[in-house]
Every structure is written in C-alpha cells, then in structure tokens.
Amino acid sequence: METMQTDHHATPRRANACQKVLIVDDDPELCNLLEESFAACQDFKVEVAETARACIEACVEDSDYDLVILDVLLPDMDGREACKVMRRNGFQAPVVLLTGETSSSDEILGLDAGANDYVTKPFRFPILLARVRALLRQNAHSADAVVSLGPYRFKPAEKLLIQRNGTKIRLTTKETLILKFLHRATANLASRDVLLREVWGYNPDVSTHTVETHIYRLRQKIEPDPANAAFLKTVSGGYRLAL
C-alpha cells in the first residue's frame, strides 16, 4: 500500500538544531521510508514505535520528543485516543496525525483530541516535512515550549532546566539566552564573539570576558563536574552543547 510519495528533486533545508521525532505506525514500510527521509535531512533524530501503548509510555516516561507523528489506525488503540491520553499526562510537544480518512469531520475529531496537524495518506514527504518544520518553529516560540537539551528539559519562557528526576535549575536571563542560541546554532556551536553579539548586542562596554564569566557560572549549575564540562563544552574560540 502506497502511503507516501517521495520527491528526489527536493532538497530539505538544513535546520540549526537536531530535533527528536517519534514515528508511531504499524506499517514497517512506511516507517522505514520516513526514517530514511528524515535521516537525509541531517537535523532529525528519529525513533519508531508500532503501538499506541508504546507511544504513550515513551512520551510520558521520556518526554523529550520534539514532535510525534502518530497514525490514527493502530492495532491497540485509535491514535486520537492515544493523543488524548498523552495530553492528559502533560505531553506538550506537537503531534501530527496520519490517516487514510479524508472527511472534514475526521480531521475535526483529530484536532479536538489535541493534535496540532492532520496529514492524509498518501502524502509527499516534502509536504509532511514542511508541516513538521512549521510546527517546530511555532512550538519553539510558544510560551510553554519545552526543548530537549541533552539530560535536561529546557523551558526558556520560565528560565528553567529540569533534570530527569524532576529537579529544577533556575537560570538567569543571560543564561537562558546563551542556551537558546547554542541550541539553535548550527552543530550547537558558537564563538565567543558570536555569543557576545547575539546575547549582549553591540555593547562596546561588554567584552568576551563577560561571556566567559557567564559560562563559568552556568557550568556551576548544570555540570556534575564543572571543571571537566561534559555538556557545555569549550571548543576553539567558543562553546558548544554536547547533545
């Protein structure tokens, strides 16, 4: 059964940060095609689940997915019901429903269940990719955005990092801006001069020493061993996040 059409002439635009996507479908051929297509974009990390139950467990227990692509017709539960359960359990990232149904009432049911978008099979991957990118951009700028940063969940609007055990680390405004920019930057890397320009602006009274001081203080909060940083690393001329 053909559920996705490929476009070999389309070259996906490279995004600035790797996004973690969960694909939930019991069609192995479609899952393989989606995995390969997202992998070709080089800015997505993809995982696959075959059942609604596996999806719910993954999203509730390890809620660092940036987006979920969820089929409606799953062997153990309707995907719309699974979406409702995920939302009730606090999952906030965008959800895209896949379905073979084309009626507007079916789409309304999906959106009412908490989905952010609805894609009808068969579909062309570039169209799905464009919708995924749009949702990720919208979510990144929303007040309740939650971003996966290595061992942390990052809530920029609240200036918070949350560890896997639930411990909250409060950040200053500049620390939040540093993490936001490094997360967006290509390869999660930026020079001191770039951070100075992007976080502090063109202020002649601010030097790269200010950047180094803020990085030092940030490491005291987020690194188990600040003297041997494993997450916020120093590289030649700047810093990068090890995600």
Side-chain angles (χ1 to χ4, degrees):
M1 178 177 63
E2 184 181 11
T3 55
M4 183 178 77
Q5 300 167 8
T6 58
D7 186 345
H8 297 292
H9 299 288
T11 302
R13 177 179 59 83
R14 181 175 173 82
N16 287 329
C18 188
Q19 306 284 349
K20 189 174 179 182
V21 175
L22 177 64
I23 297 170
V24 189
D25 201 298
D26 62 337
D27 181 347
E29 183 178 356
L30 176 61
C31 288
N32 288 336
L33 282 171
L34 286 174
E35 278 190 283
E36 292 172 2
S37 298
F38 276 111
C41 301
Q42 299 181 326
D43 52 324
F44 290 95
K45 178 183 177 182
V46 176
E47 295 182 4
V48 173
E50 296 181 355
T51 66
R53 187 175 300 278
C55 170
I56 292 168
E57 290 177 356
C59 291
V60 172
E61 295 178 6
D62 182 20
S63 57
D64 62 348
Y65 293 105
D66 296 295
L67 183 137
V68 174
I69 298 174
L70 176 62
D71 190 40
V72 168
L73 189 59
L74 292 169
D76 58 337
M77 184 189 298
D78 187 293
R80 290 163 296 200
E81 290 302 316
C83 186
K84 287 182 182 179
V85 174
M86 291 157 58
R87 295 306 192 204
R88 284 200 299 268
N89 282 274
F91 186 73
Q92 296 178 327
V95 175
V96 178
L97 289 177
L98 299 181
T99 180
E101 300 292 333
T102 58
S103 68
S104 58
S105 60
D106 197 61
E107 182 174 355
I108 290 170
L109 287 173
L111 297 175
D112 283 346
N116 300 83
D117 205 348
Y118 210 80
V119 175
T120 303
K121 301 176 182 179
F123 55 86
R124 292 174 56 240
F125 179 73
I127 299 300
L128 175 64
L129 179 62
R131 293 191 178 191
V132 164
R133 290 199 191 281
L135 288 172
L136 289 171
R137 286 194 299 269
Q138 292 169 14
N139 191 59
H141 291 92
S142 68
D144 58 352
V146 180
V147 178
S148 173
L149 284 186
Y152 299 103
R153 286 184 295 139
F154 180 35
K155 293 188 173 184
E158 299 180 41
K159 301 177 187 176
L160 279 179
L161 283 176
I162 304 175
Q163 297 176 318
R164 295 190 187 280
N165 63 6
T167 301
K168 295 180 179 179
I169 301 173
R170 301 209 169 269
L171 305 169
T172 66
T173 298
K174 288 294 187 285
E175 290 167 349
T176 301
L177 290 172
I178 289 170
L179 290 177
K180 282 180 67 175
F181 184 77
L182 286 174
H183 176 253
R184 294 197 311 266
T186 301
N188 308 117
L189 181 151
S191 68
R192 292 180 180 87
D193 288 337
V194 169
L195 278 176
L196 188 62
R197 181 179 71 244
E198 296 294 333
V199 175
W200 279 268
Y202 293 95
N203 187 338
D205 297 325
V206 179
S207 69
T208 55
H209 177 70
T210 299
V211 179
E212 294 163 1
T213 300
H214 279 77
I215 293 290
Y216 171 82
R217 292 173 179 168
L218 183 54
R219 282 176 173 156
Q220 301 303 307
K221 294 181 178 182
I222 67 176
E223 295 282 358
D225 182 2
N228 297 286
F231 177 55
L232 178 50
K233 290 178 171 290
T234 299
V235 295
S236 178
Y239 306 96
R240 72 178 294 267
L241 294 179
L243 302 181

